[in-house]
Amino acid sequence: MTASNSEYRHIPEATVSRLPVYLRSLLDLSEQDVTTVSSENLAAETGVNAAKVRKDLSYLGTYGTRGVGYGVGELVDQIRDCLGLNRNWRVGIAGIGNLGRALVNYKGFSERKLTICALYDSDPEKVGRPIKVGDDVLTIQDVESIRGDVGALDLDIGIITTPSSVAQDVADRYVAGGIQGILNFAPTVLRVPEDVMLRKVDLSIELQILGFYVGRRDALDRAVEAAD
Amino acid sequence: MTASNSEYRHIPEATVSRLPVYLRSLLDLSEQDVTTVSSENLAAETGVNAAKVRKDLSYLGTYGTRGVGYGVGELVDQIRDCLGLNRNWRVGIAGIGNLGRALVNYKGFSERKLTICALYDSDPEKVGRPIKVGDDVLTIQDVESIRGDVGALDLDIGIITTPSSVAQDVADRYVAGGIQGILNFAPTVLRVPEDVMLRKVDLSIELQILGFYVGRRDALDRAVEAAD
């Protein structure tokens, strides 16, 4: 079966961004054998307010049962269906340094049907080396292979974990091969044609958000001390 | 000077979450020697709509100049001030595997005054090893040291990049030392006291969001082909 998420066309961007967050909490609950969850609980787990949780989930056509809440397994299926995660996404990773290797070993990927199908690097020392990916072993290929591989290996999404200086070159190779989406971890701006979906991950963003709240508490503590 | 962000107490959570995203784009523009930016440009760079950009920035007390836009340097300063990034955050990293090492080398950290002050692991093979951190060299310490180090090294934030199975143990050590904030990269739920700020990074979230949009486009393409 190839899952389709065509029926979910009109979901707001902000809701789409929160669905993986709900999914993460729901998978955690499911691991703890929790079978139902209220919007309040899901709100507490995810840091989103309960009204927003209910509104977001209503886009999936799901309203829960009063006094019981939502079925955890059912909700996992619906979010997976909506995000297209019932389909296997075929992913390539270019840049097999520490971050590339961290992604290869990341438990959260295989859990969500994201299959790593190819690894690329431009370093002759790395090209040809075998890397364990789950139960398989992949050989690192030269970035030259990206263009041909996108079609040959049916890659949907290209991940970039290279240094910033070569990220655009790698992006161009993915694009030349006809990739549909690119996920960029390099801290630089990439230009791709409009018909290629591009998203960027900045590993320092959550740390900055945390800094805001810690700093605010510091300031509050000082204010309280001053008032004492 | 110690920066204070106490005047920014009433900023909505969603705005706080977007400020680092604006900051990233502004730093990119600044690198390209761009000195002013319109809300529309900033919207296009960040994928947030222009009205929301203007609203978010208004919380910083900044409204731009009609027909000119915002000063890039000024806005960088204001966001840094608000996020407490004019202050140096002192950070420890526990779990020096691939992800821990990737963070050590991450350019985005030092750019944002996040200083890595200590590295921890529980593997006797790793403890005692020197690791280059920017221009300094840090020696990996045993996780046993975390509790004492939080105060001794004045750590503000503890990062966890360990396997899920030991993440709670490491969190407990940070908490016992009196840490203010924890950033968890392990794909598991952690419990910490209410007065400790906890945030979680799920590396697969952006990939899932990308999957949604790629999948939706697939479906639209099929619909168009069927209609042809």
Side-chain angles (χ1 to χ4, degrees):
Chain A
M1 191 198 98
T2 58
S4 147
N5 59 2
S6 57
E7 61 259 60
Y8 302 112
R9 269 181 220 168
H10 304 296
I11 302 185
E13 225 179 293
T15 297
V16 172
S17 300
R18 285 188 291 267
L19 291 178
V21 180
Y22 301 139
L23 179 58
R24 185 182 66 197
S25 291
L26 290 164
L27 288 172
D28 289 336
L29 290 170
S30 172
E31 253 179 51
Q32 296 160 44
D33 295 322
V34 176
T35 55
T36 58
V37 63
S38 66
S39 54
E40 285 78 13
N41 285 143
L42 201 51
E45 292 282 335
T46 55
V48 176
N49 77 56
K52 204 171 268 178
V53 170
R54 285 191 293 272
K55 177 83 178 157
D56 284 342
L57 298 183
S58 75
Y59 287 106
L60 305 174
T62 239
Y63 296 89
T65 308
R66 186 172 290 275
V68 177
Y70 300 87
V72 170
E74 196 187 344
L75 212 44
V76 164
D77 282 344
Q78 280 173 311
I79 295 178
R80 278 196 169 138
D81 188 36
C82 175
L83 290 174
L85 293 174
N86 289 329
R87 160 178 169 182
N88 240 309
W89 292 103
R90 297 177 61 83
V91 171
I93 301 182
I96 311 304
N98 288 311
L99 184 56
R101 282 168 197 268
L103 294 185
V104 165
N105 295 316
Y106 193 63
K107 197 186 87 175
F109 273 19
S110 52
E111 265 178 4
R112 287 169 187 79
K113 299 209 182 182
L114 304 162
T115 308
I116 299 168
C117 303
L119 306 175
Y120 303 100
D121 208 287
S122 59
D123 180 351
E125 297 264 305
K126 289 183 183 166
V127 174
R129 279 205 201 169
I131 300 276
K132 213 173 164 309
V133 180
D135 297 331
D136 291 329
V137 173
L138 293 176
T139 304
I140 301 178
Q141 305 295 321
D142 192 279
V143 291
E144 295 274 342
S145 309
I146 293 177
R147 181 176 182 158
D149 278 1
V150 174
L153 301 177
D154 207 11
L155 301 180
D156 302 298
I157 291 172
I159 296 184
I160 300 178
T161 46
T162 63
S164 297
S165 55
V166 296
Q168 183 66 55
D169 173 68
V170 168
D172 293 344
R173 292 174 191 274
Y174 277 129
V175 169
I179 203 86
Q180 298 190 71
I182 290 179
L183 186 64
N184 177 33
F185 283 82
T188 189
V189 179
L190 298 181
R191 303 290 165 198
V192 299
E194 259 187 28
D195 62 335
V196 176
M197 288 294 312
L198 171 68
R199 293 194 69 100
K200 185 171 175 176
V201 179
D202 182 332
L203 293 174
S204 71
I205 281 195
E206 282 294 328
L207 201 51
Q208 294 175 59
I209 296 172
L210 193 57
F212 173 83
Y213 289 107
V214 169
R216 190 171 66 163
R217 234 216 3 227
D218 268 5
L220 287 171
D221 287 349
R222 280 197 303 274
V224 170
E225 275 167 30
D228 273 350
Chain B
M1 188 197 96
T2 57
S4 145
N5 59 2
S6 55
E7 61 258 61
Y8 302 112
R9 269 183 221 167
H10 304 297
I11 302 186
E13 225 180 293
T15 298
V16 171
S17 300
R18 284 189 291 266
L19 290 178
V21 180
Y22 300 140
L23 179 57
R24 186 181 65 197
S25 290
L26 290 163
L27 288 172
D28 289 336
L29 290 170
S30 173
E31 254 179 49
Q32 296 160 45
D33 295 321
V34 177
T35 56
T36 58
V37 63
S38 66
S39 54
E40 286 77 12
N41 284 144
L42 201 50
E45 292 283 335
T46 56
V48 177
N49 78 56
K52 203 171 268 177
V53 169
R54 286 190 293 270
K55 176 82 179 160
D56 284 342
L57 297 182
S58 74
Y59 287 106
L60 304 175
T62 239
Y63 297 90
T65 308
R66 188 172 288 276
V68 177
Y70 300 87
V72 170
E74 197 187 342
L75 212 44
V76 165
D77 282 345
Q78 280 174 311
I79 295 178
R80 277 199 170 134
D81 188 36
C82 174
L83 290 175
L85 292 174
N86 289 329
R87 162 178 169 184
N88 240 309
W89 292 104
R90 297 178 60 84
V91 171
I93 301 181
I96 312 304
N98 288 311
L99 184 56
R101 283 168 196 267
L103 295 184
V104 165
N105 294 317
Y106 193 65
K107 198 186 86 173
F109 273 19
S110 51
E111 264 177 6
R112 288 169 185 79
K113 298 210 182 182
L114 305 163
T115 308
I116 298 167
C117 302
L119 306 176
Y120 304 100
D121 209 287
S122 60
D123 180 351
E125 297 265 305
K126 289 183 183 167
V127 173
R129 280 206 199 168
I131 301 276
K132 213 171 163 311
V133 180
D135 296 332
D136 293 328
V137 173
L138 293 175
T139 304
I140 301 179
Q141 306 294 321
D142 192 280
V143 291
E144 295 274 342
S145 309
I146 293 177
R147 181 176 181 156
D149 278 2
V150 174
L153 301 178
D154 207 11
L155 301 181
D156 302 297
I157 291 171
I159 296 184
I160 300 178
T161 46
T162 64
S164 297
S165 54
V166 296
Q168 183 66 53
D169 173 68
V170 168
D172 293 344
R173 292 174 191 274
Y174 278 128
V175 168
I179 201 88
Q180 298 189 72
I182 290 178
L183 186 64
N184 177 33
F185 283 83
T188 188
V189 179
L190 298 181
R191 302 290 165 196
V192 299
E194 258 187 29
D195 62 335
V196 175
M197 288 294 312
L198 171 69
R199 294 193 69 97
K200 184 172 176 176
V201 179
D202 182 331
L203 293 175
S204 71
I205 281 194
E206 283 293 329
L207 200 51
Q208 293 175 60
I209 296 172
L210 193 57
F212 173 82
Y213 290 108
V214 170
R216 190 171 64 163
R217 233 214 6 225
D218 269 4
L220 286 171
D221 287 350
R222 280 197 302 274
V224 170
E225 275 168 30
D228 275 352

